[in-house]
Structures are given as structure tokens and as C-alpha cells.
Amino acid sequence: MSQEKIRNMDEFAALCGISRPTISKYFNDPNSVRPSTRDRIEAALKEYDYRPNIYAMNQNRRLTKNIGIVVPYLADPFFAEIARVIERRCIDAGFTPTLFSSHGEPGQETAILDTLRSLRPAGVLLAPLGRASDRKHIEEFCRDVPTILFDSNIEGVGAAFVGSDNFSFVSQTVEYLSRTGSAPCFFEMRDPANPNANKRRHAYLEMMRRLNLEPHLIKIDGTGWGFEEIGRTGALKVLKQDLLPTDTVLCSNDRLAIGVLSACHELGIRVGREEGCTIRIASHDDHPYSRFTCPSLTTAAHDYEAVSDHAVETLFRLIEAGGRLETREETLFAARLIMRASA
Amino acid sequence: MSQEKIRNMDEFAALCGISRPTISKYFNDPNSVRPSTRDRIEAALKEYDYRPNIYAMNQNRRLTKNIGIVVPYLADPFFAEIARVIERRCIDAGFTPTLFSSHGEPGQETAILDTLRSLRPAGVLLAPLGRASDRKHIEEFCRDVPTILFDSNIEGVGAAFVGSDNFSFVSQTVEYLSRTGSAPCFFEMRDPANPNANKRRHAYLEMMRRLNLEPHLIKIDGTGWGFEEIGRTGALKVLKQDLLPTDTVLCSNDRLAIGVLSACHELGIRVGREEGCTIRIASHDDHPYSRFTCPSLTTAAHDYEAVSDHAVETLFRLIEAGGRLETREETLFAARLIMRASA
DNA sequence: ATATATTTTTGACGCGCGTAAATAAATGGC
DNA sequence: GCCATTTATTTACGCGCGTCAAAAATATAT
């Protein structure tokens, strides 16, 4: 590696003995230049370690290679994991993804979208906060920037939605639980921030109706994204007052369930389907930690890979199509029941 | 809000009735223009919703307002949380932070640094992978870009290091455990990826020497960043073979401890300091989930706020000083013992 | 060898803004 | 109302690269 620092493409082109426009062409698509030319450029690249200035590149390109990824809450390992997979897919496809977290705050979400505008991304993968989102602001953003929604849908907004089929989650857990023991009650937040929660409640009610069982909704108080703590305090209250209508609790999501497990432990209530256990707990999402809870959590798993892959692929199609799809697509992936010790 | 789309600063300046250089000055520092001028600009800003093109701005500025934040593993809520705090501080100071995760892979880490170069950041906050990091590559990067290391130190690399005082963590847990029960053994990975782990082991040995107690190291196999699973399988092995020298286990970090708790539960071993419990488990970090484990985890907590604040403040000083500090500073913050149910 | 298709080079322009120097205008104190 | 000071404007140039059209060079087919 030579010591000399190359300042710009002109200097690099001169060192290659190739014209600058050809170098420019190479960087936009190495396969667009003749193999012999490509070899000469790549040899020089090893020698001098030059990289074109991103800002100058993106300024003039009609379309950047940027992709924005927005998740509602990165401190939730579920979103951290799905963001990781999506990031990798984008990099492999030659894009430069940038990851943002709304940190559970609608203000942050709109601020991120504003920032994203000036990044001039080719496309955006957005998992909205949900109910708290500023719908109008997101709608406006989607009009200007090709955007795929994932995880949490906003009807009619964005070019497509990719997520999980909430009915598939709940139908499997309800069916399993009521087949192997008493029918579950449904444990959830009173005002869930995420629209998936509402869909899961409806799915629960529908499933109980089909099975001819009496539904029980347990709605607990709490706001924000500290679901474990909300689940814990809510469960403590319910359990202490002995308000549980059945010995089987189906939580809306794993993070709530982690809180419920914690409350049960505090109160000395044994959870599981073994002998000596007085309560069964199950849930949805297959959160990365749910296999390490005590007891390990029976849950319905997202098809992470399928959701990530399909969201990214749809975005690429959208970008290639110039930012518009004929119709707004909605794709839902089925869940997989994961039987562990808690139910 | 008017409908007309403004294409560039010239158009916006014309609509304001103010010259473009003055507008440019305003965007670089709103306080650098006369209040009456500022008001006119801001009135027009509301009217027309113009934002300068980031790429054109950064291209010519000697110093961008970009800050890079790199953490080793974003799916770990510990890093997600610290990244969140740091991000906020940067935004409040008028910078544009960009968050990257090395995803536990050295290749990713070097790739991120390469990407960061072309972002021309004013400064970078880097939490290296640790032992697996490509030291030379990071060193070279730090020569070109003002960088503060945090969480995990690499001797002599970067302008400063900000982290937690591992001795403070371990001395408190060891002191507490041996005062309230039998002395702890130390549970850790055989080849820890993170240098903090080594410091913690040394601190344990030193503390046991001072207290005149016999140390026991339990080294378990496993590589990568799936610490919970590594802790779980390691603990299962140790517990099944009854290799535990004491009834008190001090884990190197909370994620390992979560795995150990999981193993204990599987084997029907009751953990805690209550009657009927046969083992105590404590740990270090105060991982966001450690209060929801069953039982809740006694641990030593990082001073998240102090570490984040000091890291960011040091970076700002570094940037203002033109990228060089007189001497390489190393700042360590003490831990706080959090007594919960597990020990 | 010649004609045709493909690739590269040349030269030129523009992107949107930073920045510097010189000039003009506004402000503030007396 | 005058002068010194601060602030704004004008003018001009440059950043590093994308992109286009026309000309030149090269590769491929006949």
C-alpha cells in the first residue's frame, strides 16, 4: 500500500491511467466496464486505498444507495434482531442502510422521518410506533419517499405492508392451551400502543367463540414501552386480588409475559405444566429471551427471516419500479407454536 | 404552509428577500444573524418548509456535524440503552448521530469504520468488540478520525476512554456475598471476548486474596455473543456433575447469569437467599432485564448516565480542540450494588 | 480487411452549498 | 446627527462527483 493520499477521483483516475468518467462508472457498477479496465482499477484500488466522497456522490445522483430503517424501540431485542437481519440484506444488495430508533416517542418518530428526507434515501423500511404515530406526518412522508411498512400496519399508508398474521399466532396458542388444559384468559394492556395488540385481542375473542368457550379479557393499566414492568405490576395486582378467572393466562406478547412470570415468582406461584404448578402462562412473539425465562416461555414465534426477507425484497422491487407499486400489497406470515415449559 | 416546493437555498433566499450567504450563515448557527433577520428567516421557514441539502452542506464544510456511534452488539439491551442515551445527548448538542452495530463480528466492525470514514464525522464514539477487534485497523482509524472509546478499552488507542471501574463492580459483590454467606466462586467464559471480563476475574482474585478466602474460577466453554445460552449450557454441565465448590456463584456478567438461572430452574434448584434455596447467584452490569429474572438478580450496576455523559462531553471537547487532546484520558465510573432476590 | 457494435475518452456543465473578501447598510453611543 | 462598530450583501470561486454528447479507440462479426 502506497503512502500517498488521494484527494479525489481525478487524482485516482490519473494514477490509474483511466479517465475519470470511467472510474465514476466503475464505482456505480463495477460490471459496467470492460474486465481489463476493471482489473486495472481494482489493482490501483489495492495500491492506493481511495474511496469516493459519499457526499459528492449522493449530491448529484438522482437516486442514492441509502436505505432508512426505522424501528419503534431498539432496546427491545425483538426489533434489534429484525433490524440486524434487514440491515444485512440491504448491505448485501449494495445499499447503505441507516438504522433509527423512535425510542417509543412519537416526536422522535417524526423527527427521524424529517432527518430521513434530507438523507434522500432510495427507500425506507418503517415499523411505526402504532397508535401513537402521527399518521398525517407519516402519510406525507410516504408520498415523497418510497416506503415499506413492517411489523405494524397503518391502513393505506406506504407502498406495502409486511408483517405477521396475528390470527395465526393467537389461534395456535388458544387451540393448544384449551386442548391441553383449561381455556386461557387474555392478558393485555388496557391501551396498547401497538395495533397488533388489538388484532390479537380480536383473534382471541374469535377463537374462543369458535371453540364455544367463554372469553375473559384481563386489561391492565400502564403506558409506554416498559412492558415487563407493566406486566409485572399488573399481574401482581390481579394475582393478589385473586381476580384470575382461569389457571391459564395467554399474554398478548412475550414482554408482558416476562413481567407476569416475575410477579408469579415474587408471590411464590409455580408456573408450568408440571405437577405442583398452579398456573400456565403462554404468549406471542418468541422474544429472544423467552427461552431463558424461568420457566421457559411457551409462545408463538414470528417468522423473522420471512418477514425481513419479504420486506426487503418488496422495497427493492419498489425502488426498481421507480417508487410506485400498482396496488398496495399486504403480506402476512404465519406463526409457529413453540412449546416450552410455561404452558 | 404554501404548496410551492423550494429546490435550493437560492430560491429560499429569494423568497425571504435575504441573500443566500446570510441564509447559509443562519443554518450553520441561527444566533450568528441579527434577531430581526432570524425572525424573517424563521417565518419563511414555517411558510415554505425548506431544508438545506445535507450532502451539499457536508461536502464543503471542513467539519461536518456528524457523529458516529458504534456498539459491539445492539441486540444486547445494555448497549441499546447506552446507545439511546448517547444518541440523545448528541442530538441535543446539535449533532447528527448515526448508530452502528458490529453484531459481534470483527469484520463488521472494520467495515463500519470504513463506512464511517466516508461519512467524514466530526467525531466517533466507539465501543470496540474487544479481543476480537482488529487492533491495527482501529488504531489507523483513530489516527484519522477523532475517536473516544467507551465500555471496552484498547490501551493507547483513541483520544480517551470512558468506562466502568471493573474493580468497583467486583469488590462490592464479593464483599457483600462473603459477608452475608459463603464466599463466591467466579463463573465466566473460558475465552471472554470482552476485556472487561479479564479485569473482573483479576478483581475477583484480588478481592479473595484480600479477604483471605480461597478463590474458585469456573470457566465454561463457548464463543460468540449468545451469552445466555453459553451460561445455560455451561451451568447445566457444572450443576449436573456437581462441580460447584460453593453455594454462591458470582457471574462475570448478567447475561451469563440469566443463563445460569435458567439452568437452575430446569434442574429444580431453588435460587435466592430465602429459606429453601440452595444456591445464591449474583452478577455484574444491571442489565435491563435483570430485575425481571426469577428470582430477580442481585448485581452491580453501571452508572449509565455518567458513562454516557462523560463520553459525549469528552468527545465534544475533543472536537473543539481540533481532534487532539493533550494526553489520553481514562475515566472509570464506580458501580452501585443492587440487592435483589437472587443473593 | 472491412463494417458494426461496444466501450472508453474528452470536454463541458451542473448539483447545492461553503466560504472569503470587498462593499454596503444598519445599529448604537455620544 | 455624526462616527465607529456590527451585521448583511454582493460577487466570485471551489468542493468532488454525476452525467451527457460527441469523438476516439477497441472489440466482434462478417
Side-chain angles (χ1 to χ4, degrees):
Chain A
M1 169 104 63
S2 189
Q3 294 300 342
E4 328 169 28
K5 299 269 171 189
I6 287 124
R7 308 167 150 260
N8 55 39
M9 204 178 265
D10 271 312
E11 282 189 24
F12 181 70
L15 286 166
C16 289
I18 294 177
S19 75
R20 189 181 65 73
T22 305
I23 306 283
S24 170
K25 214 174 164 211
Y26 167 84
F27 278 109
N28 279 310
D29 178 8
N31 291 315
S32 69
V33 303
R34 198 189 307 155
S36 62
T37 313
R38 186 163 57 235
D39 291 346
R40 283 166 65 195
I41 295 175
E42 279 164 2
L45 225 42
K46 289 221 195 297
E47 182 81 10
Y48 297 105
D49 164 57
Y50 158 78
R51 2 184 64 222
N53 180 312
I54 284 197
Y55 292 102
M57 286 176 65
N58 283 336
Q59 178 174 11
N60 299 327
R61 240 207 278 260
R62 34 181 117 109
L63 214 56
T64 69
K65 284 289 196 175
N66 296 335
I67 284 183
I69 304 172
V70 188
V71 297
Y73 197 74
L74 205 44
D76 183 336
F78 167 73
F79 287 111
E81 175 62 19
I82 205 159
R84 186 181 70 78
V85 179
I86 288 179
E87 234 183 319
R88 168 128 307 286
R89 296 280 185 286
C90 292
I91 292 172
D92 291 347
F95 287 90
T96 307
T98 307
L99 178 59
F100 297 89
S101 168
S102 307
H103 299 310
E105 296 163 24
Q108 268 293 311
E109 188 171 69
T110 61
I112 287 167
L113 296 185
D114 288 345
T115 304
L116 265 175
R117 265 178 205 277
S118 64
L119 270 183
R120 298 183 47 220
V124 170
L125 289 158
L126 168 65
L129 283 172
R131 240 193 34 182
S133 290
D134 182 342
R135 189 194 151 108
K136 282 187 66 178
H137 201 279
I138 295 182
E139 230 170 339
E140 211 169 302
F141 178 83
C142 292
R143 267 202 292 276
D144 299 342
V145 184
T147 303
I148 305 283
L149 263 47
F150 72 100
D151 181 67
S152 171
N153 197 6
I154 303 180
E155 299 290 341
V157 177
F161 170 73
V162 182
S164 292
D165 177 3
N166 287 291
F167 190 83
S168 159
F169 281 71
V170 179
S171 62
Q172 290 186 64
T173 50
V174 169
E175 190 279 330
Y176 165 75
L177 291 172
S178 47
R179 175 163 51 79
T180 55
S182 55
C185 59
F186 193 74
F187 186 94
E188 64 170 348
M189 286 169 69
R190 189 177 306 285
D191 296 305
N194 192 302
N196 291 328
N198 295 322
K199 297 206 174 112
R200 287 177 186 179
R201 182 191 327 110
H202 289 141
Y204 166 76
L205 293 172
E206 169 64 16
M207 274 304 290
M208 294 299 273
R209 196 189 58 75
R210 287 192 200 173
L211 296 172
N212 222 354
L213 297 166
E214 193 187 350
H216 297 283
L217 295 179
I218 302 180
K219 292 174 174 291
I220 58 168
D221 296 317
T223 53
W225 284 71
F227 296 162
E228 294 85 4
E229 183 57 35
I230 291 170
R232 179 175 154 276
T233 51
L236 281 177
K237 205 167 161 186
V238 170
L239 291 168
K240 276 179 182 164
Q241 296 179 17
D242 210 16
L243 293 175
L244 221 52
T246 72
D247 66 358
T248 301
V249 180
L250 178 58
C251 297
S252 181
N253 65 65
D254 284 355
R255 293 184 61 199
L256 280 177
I258 288 171
V260 175
L261 286 175
S262 166
C264 288
H265 186 90
E266 268 181 55
L267 299 177
I269 300 170
R270 291 193 58 191
V271 179
R273 49 189 151 86
E274 289 179 1
E275 223 167 309
C277 296
T278 54
I279 187 174
R280 295 191 306 165
I281 294 175
S283 181
H284 310 107
D285 282 345
D286 193 29
H287 191 282
Y289 280 34
S290 59
R291 61 168 305 177
F292 300 107
T293 55
C294 302
S296 59
L297 195 57
T298 289
T299 186
H302 288 269
D303 192 341
Y304 284 74
E305 291 276 326
V307 172
S308 315
D309 283 356
H310 195 262
V312 170
E313 277 164 22
T314 309
L315 182 62
F316 292 166
R317 262 198 299 127
L318 177 63
I319 292 172
E320 276 171 25
R324 292 261 168 268
L325 295 180
E326 292 182 18
T327 56
R328 185 174 187 278
E329 304 172 9
E330 294 198 6
T331 314
L332 300 178
F333 289 94
R336 191 165 45 92
L337 185 66
I338 312 272
M339 278 172 287
R340 299 208 184 92
S342 73
Chain B
M1 171 101 65
S2 188
Q3 294 301 342
E4 328 168 28
K5 299 269 172 189
I6 288 124
R7 311 170 147 256
N8 54 37
M9 205 178 264
D10 271 313
E11 283 190 24
F12 181 69
L15 286 167
C16 288
I18 295 177
S19 75
R20 190 180 64 73
T22 304
I23 306 282
S24 170
K25 214 176 165 208
Y26 167 85
F27 278 111
N28 279 310
D29 179 9
N31 291 315
S32 69
V33 304
R34 199 189 307 154
S36 63
T37 314
R38 186 163 56 235
D39 291 346
R40 283 166 63 196
I41 294 174
E42 279 164 2
L45 226 42
K46 290 223 196 294
E47 182 81 9
Y48 298 106
D49 161 60
Y50 158 77
R51 1 183 67 222
N53 179 313
I54 285 197
Y55 292 101
M57 286 176 65
N58 283 335
Q59 178 174 12
N60 299 327
R61 242 207 278 260
R62 32 183 122 106
L63 213 58
T64 68
K65 284 288 198 175
N66 295 336
I67 285 183
I69 304 172
V70 187
V71 297
Y73 196 76
L74 205 46
D76 182 338
F78 167 74
F79 287 111
E81 176 62 19
I82 206 160
R84 187 182 69 80
V85 178
I86 288 179
E87 233 183 321
R88 170 127 305 284
R89 296 279 185 285
C90 293
I91 291 172
D92 291 346
F95 287 89
T96 308
T98 307
L99 178 58
F100 298 89
S101 168
S102 307
H103 299 310
E105 296 164 24
Q108 267 292 310
E109 189 171 68
T110 61
I112 287 168
L113 296 185
D114 288 344
T115 304
L116 265 175
R117 266 178 206 277
S118 64
L119 269 184
R120 295 184 47 220
V124 169
L125 289 157
L126 168 65
L129 282 172
R131 240 191 35 182
S133 290
D134 182 342
R135 190 195 150 106
K136 282 187 67 178
H137 202 279
I138 295 182
E139 231 171 338
E140 210 170 303
F141 178 82
C142 292
R143 267 202 292 277
D144 298 342
V145 184
T147 304
I148 305 284
L149 263 48
F150 72 99
D151 181 66
S152 171
N153 197 6
I154 303 180
E155 300 289 341
V157 177
F161 170 71
V162 182
S164 292
D165 178 4
N166 287 293
F167 190 83
S168 159
F169 281 71
V170 180
S171 63
Q172 290 186 63
T173 49
V174 169
E175 191 279 329
Y176 165 75
L177 291 172
S178 46
R179 176 162 54 79
T180 56
S182 55
C185 59
F186 192 75
F187 186 94
E188 64 171 349
M189 285 168 70
R190 190 177 306 285
D191 296 305
N194 192 300
N196 291 328
N198 296 322
K199 299 206 172 111
R200 288 176 184 178
R201 182 191 325 111
H202 290 141
Y204 166 76
L205 293 172
E206 169 65 14
M207 274 304 289
M208 293 299 272
R209 197 187 58 74
R210 285 193 200 173
L211 295 172
N212 222 352
L213 296 166
E214 193 188 348
H216 297 283
L217 295 179
I218 301 179
K219 291 173 175 292
I220 58 167
D221 296 317
T223 53
W225 284 71
F227 296 162
E228 294 85 5
E229 183 56 36
I230 290 171
R232 179 175 156 276
T233 51
L236 280 177
K237 204 166 163 187
V238 170
L239 292 167
K240 276 181 182 163
Q241 298 179 17
D242 209 17
L243 293 174
L244 221 52
T246 75
D247 65 358
T248 301
V249 179
L250 178 58
C251 296
S252 182
N253 65 65
D254 282 356
R255 294 183 59 200
L256 279 178
I258 288 171
V260 175
L261 285 174
S262 166
C264 288
H265 185 90
E266 268 181 55
L267 299 176
I269 299 170
R270 290 193 57 192
V271 179
R273 47 190 154 86
E274 289 179 3
E275 224 167 309
C277 296
T278 54
I279 187 174
R280 296 190 305 164
I281 294 175
S283 181
H284 311 280
D285 283 343
D286 194 29
H287 190 281
Y289 279 33
S290 58
R291 63 167 306 177
F292 300 108
T293 56
C294 302
S296 60
L297 194 58
T298 289
T299 186
H302 287 269
D303 192 342
Y304 284 74
E305 291 276 325
V307 171
S308 315
D309 284 355
H310 196 263
V312 170
E313 277 164 22
T314 309
L315 182 63
F316 291 166
R317 265 198 296 126
L318 176 64
I319 291 172
E320 276 170 25
R324 292 260 168 268
L325 295 179
E326 292 180 18
T327 55
R328 185 173 187 279
E329 303 171 11
E330 293 199 5
T331 314
L332 300 179
F333 289 93
R336 190 166 46 90
L337 185 68
I338 312 273
M339 277 171 289
R340 298 207 183 95
S342 72

